[in-house]
């Protein structure tokens, strides 16, 4: 799937002028409040029209002001989970969920009603009216409604913000499965770096209506790492499962990584997100530590930030960023070229 | 029961019911269409359109009836056309009475429905569109159900108006027993009759009871339907 | 089809009784559409399915005659009525009606004289003519309260809203809330008459028979019962 | 301009405007109160209350006028009371005409306002309460402004009705030039006069133009006020 | 301030039956979606009435079904930031903000309009209508509106869920200041553990309409630590500021803690939240590590969890919980009584 987006839109004093391309998988829209994320998503859905510009999906022109094309939202087959749930107040939860089924083409329909309802934990709500639902319940129904319309692209505007960790932890893997197994491309607006890093293949960072950075998640987050949480996004291969310890071992050029049991097939290629704060550095042989993941690394660059020091590392050919205090940098003598060990707490990987 | 009203009165009651029901039912689709235009349309001449819809409210009913007679009478342009093309005659038929009542109640119906449509959160319609519903489907599955309070209010108002209307009716289709003599026309006749006040009052009560029934029904429907949908 | 009569609303009681008698005799029902004479005349102009027009005044009948919508050979001036001054039942007022009658003084500063609309309602027109002929119109005019039909004027008096009213003798007779204070001289106003005629466009063979019966002595009691004088009765 | 209408017609136009404005303005507070009761009240007899409000719509205007005469006439219980206690006389006065118009337009006004009030998201009123606004303050600062579309619609409808009403008016307060002869009464008189059609038409156009003005005004206000508040 | 809450309320099939007391400061309501948090907050605000029960604030009875008392919301002076913003659509942002000022008593008014507007970053929005605001903008205006009504208790239902990290990081310290300086008590609903841990003095955990646990934040979170993120909440004293390294040194019985510069007066007592995942354990000399905070600890208990091992520690008299893999436990021989060093990455404390 390829989404090309190029549009200008003025809303009062705010001007959106953005251009990006998304190549399937999950593309995250990331940016501060009021930067224009919802505006972009609305344009893709067809709920508003750009002043100028062109948006295409898999070669099909959704809108092109130059030639006057504007495909109505109902013909785009683009699902949308709104920032506010927008459930139909006059329909039961059940009817809200199946609404999209009434209209979508029978061919190309996917997604099993029962399975989606169970996953979202809304089975007990089916007979209820949206008005009495709690905030999180509404949002879950909204996710189900969008999915059950069998879209070919899914727009999600902060879909999990209203959910608790446990529920989030259940839904995220499901979204991953949609991405990987159903090959459903998703445009995902979120403030949560860990969500984005876990799900997204690409990130588009929006600031004041413009694209500040765009590209693969590893690169972009490393670029903006000064104030980000991301230390590294490593690609590794599932190598073994240790049933006794309940961990999965991943192969990476710089060493073996232990993470909580994944349940993936051996040989699968996975992406592991490591927060900068979860990375410690050791010079020389570390003592007897509970930290199991020890990757050989080399310091590439050291840059002083406002509050701490960002240490760029090369870990078996992949970039990694660690943040340490000035004191630590001094004591350890961290400087380009130094060989160090990156220590990563295994349990810290459980939600990437 | 039979003793309560004369045969002619029974006739008037039956006819009034038929006229009011037909008037309301037949004008509903147009009422909804006009309400949509008023609530959502942004076209030149919108105000004029709105004014035309309000006309029957402003003009004395007799004038409305007279204009209907001019247009839809057997010799009127529209009346003649309908007669020749479709064999439909409205003048001095109960169908004409229904037309008069429909016209008189139309502004009430349209305004009530338009108010409800204006109050609908259009973002819900957008949500429906993203779920694949086309314009018509959105209208039928979202707009219309959410406008239900207005539609019911419109129905009740125009039904009540139809039961009370007589100025336009008597002027357009006269006051022919069994054909165009509705309850209000009958009341009018009775009021002209010395000593007819009692009978007039009885018939008035009938009107009131009928429209009370309509009111209760509409409120019951509204309660059922909107029980849980109010924000 | 039933014979359809378009009749002035004020004829309701009398004509109602007459048609009932006719039906009892012949078994043939007659439909009567009562409304203001003006409305009925306009409807006949517009092609209403009326067989007979029974007007409350000459003007509207003349109007239709001018346009050739009635059969002039069938036109009969059937009924006559009187014009009376009424007061509420409990009123102590006595007034002699004649030249320079002290009606204005009797009304006082605030009292109203209830009448049918003087420009349009027949009873109002006759009333105005009478008062003018008696030389009191100018004095009384500011006190006039018009109603859209005679019954409205009658209600004003019966309810005590107006101390005096001008209505037909037939109305005064039927309304227990009022009493007749005096009768306007017949020569002070145009004759109060109710012309009847067959509508030219009528094709109902029974219409003629009903009209003939109406003007026959057999129908007389119904009209007289209601207080009309039958003037055009044939035979 | 002066040549267009007779002095009496000018009088009727001026009077009609005054009567309609007073009728609408005076009934607005009651209309809003009744609409609140209808939209929000859950009390026994609510349906009956609703029926009473709809009465003037169902009853033929002449009947309404007659009932007004019975109640508010100089000898009627309320009329006598008002006269003795406050020296207020309605019978045969333009104030009586205003009362008649107000009564006739009341159901239209109430229904429109009630519809808008029903559509208000009561959670906004709750939010206002948590910010310290008492019942009255919530009503004035939240409910009323959000009901504005309905209030405007109600005003226009009842204003238009007041301009067109004549059956109840003439029955209640007669048709006294300069005091109670409104435009529709004048039109009615004209229509009953052979050859009066032209003048009747001219006056009808005046009514229509006036209420068109009211309509345009109300839509302008509505646009300004609700420009950005529609969800 | 003391809030006592004791109420039963049935909503359809859902039954709330909760009782807790909150003693000033910030009390967090924590629990899964649909557990009844909003229901509780609504009862406190007076937006709904309990079927049975009694709620008092500082001795004043807000509601008591037994004696039929029900103080209307407008007389409670309790501010409420709703889960959905609920701005007045017919008023400008400016008027929304000052709405509470029109009604509140002049006496007891606090909070400066300009300052609050600036802090929330909504100065540019004042003339706008709520309808055009972005999701985050709406929520910020809602926070401002509640604050400017000068409440004596503030209810916040997931107030920061729609906000990005940067904005959150700005608003949280402000809420802390409200708590500490204005002594404004807050009842705070949130899914974000770090927010709760940072702000809250007490936590009430709601599950399926009942109070599952309640008490001081350290105790409660340690109790439910199996699936929580909290490792320890330590109380320490500001001891020195190191301007060169940009850190603040805190005194704790078990050692000195370094955290990013706080800017608090020396001698202030502060609470430091440490996530379980940020704690590593060393047995013996840890070697040359970038980890600066090393607290002497003793293993109190070791319990095997589903996926890892929870190690309870005693750190200078305060409890601490570390999570390690089974492999690490084996290798280090972690058992009750063993002396270990708790290693805490300094930079990990920046948002506690
Ligand atoms: N109709 C409008 N008129 C004026 N400004 C508008 C309008 N609609 C949106 N805006 C402004 O455009 C900007 C972008 O809004 P948008 O909803 O896209 O933000 P967002 O990135 O989704 O923010 P959030 O994360 O807070 O939801 C905001 O500053 C908003 O105030
Ligand atoms: N009027 C109602 N009728 C029936 N059930 C209701 C009603 N109102 C709320 N509920 C149910 O009560 C439960 C508690 O709702 P509440 O809004 O308090 O949850 P919450 O803890 O705030 O959840 P969230 O974090 O998702 O906002 C939910 O399961 C909800 O569906
Ligand atoms: O106001 Mo009307 O004239 O009788 O229907
Ligand atoms: Mg947004
Ligand atoms: Mg909630």
């Amino acid at each position: 799937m390829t989404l090309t987006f190029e549009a200008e839109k003025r809303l009062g004093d705010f001007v959106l002028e953005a251009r990006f391309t998304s190549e399937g998988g999950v593309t995250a829209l990331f940016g501060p409040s009021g930067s224009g994320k919802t505006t972009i998503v609305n344009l893709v859905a067809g709920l508003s029209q750009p002043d100028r510009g062109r948006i295409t999906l898999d070669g099909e022109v959704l809108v092109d002001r130059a030639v006057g094309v504007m495909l109505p939202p109902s013909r785009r087959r683009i699902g949308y989970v709104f920032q506010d749930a927008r459930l139909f107040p006059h329909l039961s939860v059940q009817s809200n969920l199946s609404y999209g089924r009434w209209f979508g083409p029978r061919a190309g329909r996917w997604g099993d009603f029962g399975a989606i309802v169970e996953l979202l934990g809304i089975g007990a709500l089916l007979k209820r009216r949206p008005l009495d639902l709690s905030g999180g319940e509404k949002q879950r129904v909204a996710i189900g409604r969008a999915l059950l319309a069998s879209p070919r692209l899914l727009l999600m505007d902060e879909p999990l913000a209203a959910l608790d960790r446990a529920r989030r932890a259940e839904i995220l893997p499901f979204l991953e499965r949609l991405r990987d197994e159903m090959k459903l491309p998703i445009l995902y607006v979120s403030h949560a770096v860990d969500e984005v890093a876990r799900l997204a293949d690409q990130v588009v960072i929006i600031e004041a209506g413009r694209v500040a950075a765009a590209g693969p998640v590893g690169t972009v987050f490393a670029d903006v790492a000064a104030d980000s949480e991301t230390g590294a996004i490593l690609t590794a291969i599932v190598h073994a499962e240790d049933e006794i310890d309940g961990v999965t071992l991943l192969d990476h050029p710089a060493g073996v990584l232990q993470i909580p049991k994944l349940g993936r097939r051996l040989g699968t290629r996975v992406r592991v997100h490591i927060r900068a704060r979860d990375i410690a550095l050791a010079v020389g042989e570390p003592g007897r530590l509970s930290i199991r993941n020890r990757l050989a690394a080399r310091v590439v660059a050291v840059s002083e930030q406002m509050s701490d020091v960002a240490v760029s590392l090369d870990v078996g050919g992949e970039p990694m960023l660690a943040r340490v205090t000035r004191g630590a940098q001094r004591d350890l003598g961290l400087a380009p070229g130094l060989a160090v060990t990156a220590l990563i707490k295994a349990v810290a990987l459980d939600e990437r | 029961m039979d003793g309560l009203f004369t045969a002619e009165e029974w006739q008037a009651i039956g006819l009034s019911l038929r006229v009011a029901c037909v008037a309301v039912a037949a004008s509903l689709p147009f009422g909804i269409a006009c309400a949509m235009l008023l609530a959502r349309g942004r076209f030149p001449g919108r105000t004029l359109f709105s004014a035309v819809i309000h006309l029957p409210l402003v003009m004395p009913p007799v004038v409305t009836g007279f204009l209907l007679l001019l247009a839809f009478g057997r010799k009127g342009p529209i009346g003649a056309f309908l007669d020749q093309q479709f064999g439909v005659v409205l003048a001095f038929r109960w169908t004409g009475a229904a037309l008069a009542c429909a016209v008189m109640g139309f502004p009430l119906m349209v305004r009530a429905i338009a108010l409800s449509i204006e109050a609908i959160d259009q973002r819900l319609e957008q949500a429906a569109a993203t779920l694949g519903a086309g314009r018509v489907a959105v209208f039928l599955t979202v707009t219309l159900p959410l406008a239900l309070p207005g539609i019911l209010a419109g129905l009740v108002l125009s039904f009540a108006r139809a039961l009370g209307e007589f100025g336009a009716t008597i002027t357009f289709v006269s006051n022919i027993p069994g054909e165009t003599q509705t309850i209000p026309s009958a009341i009018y006749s009775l009021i002209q009759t010395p000593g007819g006040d009692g009978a007039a009052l009885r018939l008035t009560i009938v009107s009131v009871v009928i429209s009370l029934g309509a009111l209760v029904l509409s409120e019951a429907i509204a309660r059922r339907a909107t029980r849980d949908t109010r924000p | 089809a039933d014979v359809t009569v378009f009749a002035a609303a004020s004829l309701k009681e009398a004509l109602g009784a007459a048609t009932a008698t006719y039906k009892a005799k012949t078994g043939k029902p007659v439909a009567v559409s009562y409304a203001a004479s003006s409305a009925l005349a306009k409807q006949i102009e517009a092609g209403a399915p009326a067989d007979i027009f029974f007007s409350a005044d000459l003007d509207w009948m003349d109007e239709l005659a001018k346009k050739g919508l009635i059969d002039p050979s069938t036109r009969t001036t059937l009924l006559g009525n009187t014009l009376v001054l009424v007061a509420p039942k409990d009123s102590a007022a006595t007034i002699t009606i004649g030249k320079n009658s002290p009606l204005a003084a009797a009304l006082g500063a605030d009292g109203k004289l209830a009448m049918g609309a003087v420009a349009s309602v027949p009873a109002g027109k006759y009333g105005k003519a009478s008062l003018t002929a008696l030389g009191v119109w100018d004095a009384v005019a500011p006190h006039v309260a018009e109603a859209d039909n005679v019954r409205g004027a009658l209600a004003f008096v019966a309810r005590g809203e107006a101390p005096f009213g001008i209505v037909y003798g037939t109305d005064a007779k039927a309304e227990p809330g009022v009493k007749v204070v005096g009768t306007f001289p017949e020569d002070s106003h145009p004759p109060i008459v109710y012309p009847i005629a067959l509508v030219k466009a009528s094709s109902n063979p029974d219409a003629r028979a009903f009209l003939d019966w109406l003007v026959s002595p057999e129908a007389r009691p119904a009209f007289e019962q209601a207080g009309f004088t039958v003037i055009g009765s044939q035979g």
Side-chain angles (χ1 to χ4, degrees), chain A, chain B, chain C:
Chain A
M1 194 243 22
T2 309
L3 173 74
T4 70
F5 182 97
E6 183 187 338
E8 269 179 61
K9 173 104 190 157
R10 170 179 283 278
L11 291 167
D13 293 336
F14 174 79
V15 179
L16 178 84
E17 205 179 334
R19 169 201 303 246
F20 64 86
T21 308
S22 140
E23 301 284 351
V26 174
T27 301
L29 285 180
F30 199 81
S33 169
S35 56
K37 305 180 295 296
T38 301
T39 307
I40 289 177
V41 174
N42 282 342
L43 288 169
V44 174
L47 300 184
S48 72
Q49 209 176 4
D51 299 330
R52 236 185 309 281
R54 188 180 143 93
I55 305 172
T56 68
L57 183 60
D58 277 338
E60 185 186 9
V61 176
L62 299 180
V63 66
D64 186 343
R65 291 309 301 257
V67 299
V69 172
M70 170 78 186
L71 201 65
S74 58
R75 298 242 296 281
R76 297 193 178 190
R77 286 196 57 212
I78 296 181
Y80 192 163
V81 180
F82 297 89
Q83 197 166 2
D84 48 335
R86 294 200 204 175
L87 300 178
F88 301 122
H90 58 299
L91 300 179
S92 67
V93 167
Q94 162 103 44
S95 306
N96 265 280
L97 288 170
S98 42
Y99 188 90
R101 302 243 139 177
W102 304 344
F103 302 105
R106 228 155 256 283
R109 178 180 291 182
W110 53 263
D112 175 54
F113 191 90
I116 289 181
V117 163
E118 190 177 336
L119 172 94
L120 294 167
I122 49 181
L125 311 175
L126 291 181
K127 294 234 161 51
R128 298 257 299 274
R129 296 269 173 163
L131 202 70
D132 325 317
L133 301 184
S134 81
E137 287 165 348
K138 280 189 189 123
Q139 202 56 25
R140 283 180 274 158
V141 175
I143 294 174
R145 183 179 68 169
L147 287 177
L148 286 165
S150 310
R152 54 176 174 163
L153 166 66
L154 186 60
L155 309 175
M156 306 189 89
D157 198 352
E158 304 192 31
L160 308 184
L163 299 183
D164 51 300
R165 267 172 51 74
R167 190 60 73 183
R168 237 170 160 123
E170 270 172 58
I171 294 178
L172 271 177
F174 173 69
L175 294 179
E176 281 183 309
R177 268 190 8 237
L178 286 179
R179 176 193 68 190
D180 299 338
E181 292 167 24
M182 304 298 313
K183 304 280 178 231
L184 178 67
I186 304 179
L187 195 58
Y188 194 92
V189 176
S190 174
H191 294 308
V193 182
D194 53 353
E195 261 173 50
V196 169
R198 174 167 181 175
L199 274 179
D201 301 292
Q202 292 165 278
V203 185
V204 178
I205 298 197
I206 311 290
E207 260 161 35
R210 289 166 185 276
V211 174
V217 64
T219 319
V220 170
F221 273 171
D223 283 355
V224 293
D227 68 346
S228 109
E229 298 186 318
T230 300
I233 293 170
L234 302 180
T235 306
I237 310 270
V238 176
H239 157 76
E241 300 248 321
D242 181 336
E243 289 297 340
I244 299 170
D245 285 1
V247 293
T248 295
L249 302 181
L250 306 176
D251 246 356
H252 184 269
V256 172
L257 282 166
Q258 261 185 33
I259 64 171
K261 209 167 73 188
L262 261 190
R264 291 293 186 87
R265 229 166 319 140
L266 299 193
T268 313
R269 184 180 217 74
V270 296
R271 225 165 46 229
V272 176
H273 172 238
I274 302 167
R275 299 194 193 200
R277 60 195 268 172
D278 287 333
I279 303 170
L281 300 179
V283 174
E285 184 53 37
R288 293 178 65 205
L289 302 179
S290 62
I291 302 176
R292 310 291 289 168
N293 290 305
R294 301 170 183 199
L295 298 181
R298 183 165 301 278
V299 176
V300 173
V302 174
S303 79
E304 268 200 32
Q305 308 276 332
M306 282 239 291
S307 56
D308 55 22
V309 177
V311 182
S312 299
L313 305 167
D314 174 339
V315 186
E318 290 197 88
M320 179 178 281
L321 188 95
R323 289 160 73 199
V324 303
T325 57
R326 293 205 188 96
Q329 187 224 342
R330 243 188 352 257
D331 290 357
L332 298 182
L334 296 176
L338 187 70
V340 296
T341 305
L343 304 171
I344 300 150
K345 282 204 69 181
V347 286
L349 295 170
D350 70 346
E351 40 168 71
R352 274 162 293 176
Chain B
M1 253 322 239
D2 260 9
L4 213 62
F5 301 107
T6 66
E8 201 169 296
E9 283 168 358
W10 275 119
Q11 236 178 5
I13 293 170
L15 186 70
S16 244
L17 270 177
R18 176 151 42 123
V19 163
C21 290
V22 168
V24 165
S27 55
L28 185 61
F30 301 98
I32 292 175
C34 289
M36 268 304 268
L37 271 177
L38 268 191
R40 294 284 172 79
R42 292 289 167 268
F43 51 93
R46 194 179 151 281
T47 307
L48 194 72
F49 175 71
S50 168
V52 169
I53 285 182
H54 283 77
L55 268 191
L57 204 62
V58 198
M59 296 197 302
V62 197
V63 175
T64 307
F66 190 55
L67 292 179
L68 285 175
L69 187 63
L70 290 183
F72 290 90
R74 231 181 281 246
K75 310 220 173 117
I78 310 180
F81 173 81
L82 288 176
D83 191 0
Q84 279 152 30
Q85 299 299 311
F86 309 103
V88 174
V89 178
L90 294 170
F92 310 109
R93 299 278 166 81
W94 72 267
T95 45
L99 174 65
C101 290
V103 167
M104 294 302 288
F106 201 63
L108 310 183
M109 177 183 275
V110 171
R111 260 294 171 139
I113 301 177
L115 265 181
S116 267
I117 292 179
E118 281 172 21
I120 292 175
D121 187 343
Q122 293 196 38
R123 292 175 302 187
L124 293 173
E125 298 174 333
Q126 295 186 336
T130 67
L131 292 165
R135 277 161 159 269
V136 176
V138 169
F139 176 74
L140 293 176
T141 60
V142 180
T143 318
L144 219 47
L146 289 176
L148 194 69
I151 293 175
L152 286 172
L155 285 176
V156 168
L157 287 173
S158 67
F159 184 79
R161 186 84 185 101
L163 282 180
E165 204 320 292
F166 98 91
T169 311
I170 203 171
T171 311
F172 176 31
V173 292
S174 197
N175 185 8
I176 305 166
E179 185 70 37
T180 63
Q181 187 174 66
T182 56
I183 299 180
S185 313
I187 293 174
Y188 173 80
S189 297
L190 286 168
I191 282 194
Q192 305 279 320
T193 316
D197 295 353
L201 192 67
R202 275 201 338 257
L203 279 182
T204 302
I205 291 172
V206 172
S207 290
V208 171
V209 168
I210 292 175
S211 70
L212 186 74
L215 194 72
V216 171
L217 190 71
S218 83
E219 301 212 327
I221 297 176
R223 241 195 319 278
R224 259 191 74 86
T226 64
R227 198 171 13 127
D228 309 301
T229 68
R230 288 274 157 67
Chain C
D2 295 353
V3 171
T4 304
V5 181
F6 274 26
S10 50
L11 291 166
K12 163 102 170 132
E13 191 190 19
L15 197 54
T19 52
T21 312
Y22 184 69
K23 188 183 170 200
K25 176 171 170 263
T26 64
K28 291 185 179 169
V30 174
V32 187
S33 174
Y34 300 101
S37 304
S38 54
L40 297 171
K42 283 181 176 141
Q43 288 165 357
I44 291 170
E45 267 182 58
D51 299 307
I52 295 168
F53 180 43
F54 202 165
S55 171
D57 68 358
L58 291 168
D59 290 353
W60 287 108
M61 187 61 93
D62 289 345
E63 180 89 359
L64 289 189
K66 215 165 59 199
K67 293 189 171 148
L69 294 169
I70 54 162
D71 180 349
S73 68
T74 62
R75 177 168 168 172
T76 310
T77 300
L78 182 56
L79 303 178
N81 209 342
T82 53
L83 197 63
V84 299
L85 184 70
V86 293
K89 190 180 59 206
D90 53 3
S91 166
T94 53
I95 284 187
T96 46
I97 295 177
K99 277 275 177 216
N100 303 320
S101 167
L103 187 54
L107 286 167
D110 200 26
K112 296 289 180 198
L113 175 64
M115 303 172 66
V118 297
S120 50
V121 176
K125 290 195 279 190
Y126 297 130
K128 179 179 175 184
S130 228
L131 293 173
T132 309
L134 298 176
V136 298
W137 173 250
D138 289 341
V140 166
H143 295 283
V144 168
E146 293 173 296
D148 70 328
N149 60 61
V150 178
R151 297 286 305 170
L154 207 52
F156 286 143
V157 180
R159 293 292 310 156
E161 297 296 333
F164 296 105
I166 300 177
V167 300
Y168 292 126
T170 48
D171 299 309
K173 186 172 175 208
E175 173 58 68
V178 301
K179 66 178 184 196
V180 175
V181 178
T183 303
F184 288 90
E186 250 177 66
D187 57 2
S188 67
H189 53 77
I192 303 173
V193 290
Y194 295 74
I196 188 168
L198 213 56
V199 175
K200 205 173 228 163
S202 163
S203 57
N204 192 329
D206 294 339
R208 186 68 196 231
F210 180 62
L211 180 59
D212 287 344
W213 181 82
L214 266 189
V215 300
S216 76
E218 266 185 73
R220 232 180 142 113
F223 296 127
E224 284 174 344
Q225 186 72 39
F228 289 101
T229 49
V230 180
I231 44 184
S233 180
Q234 292 158 350

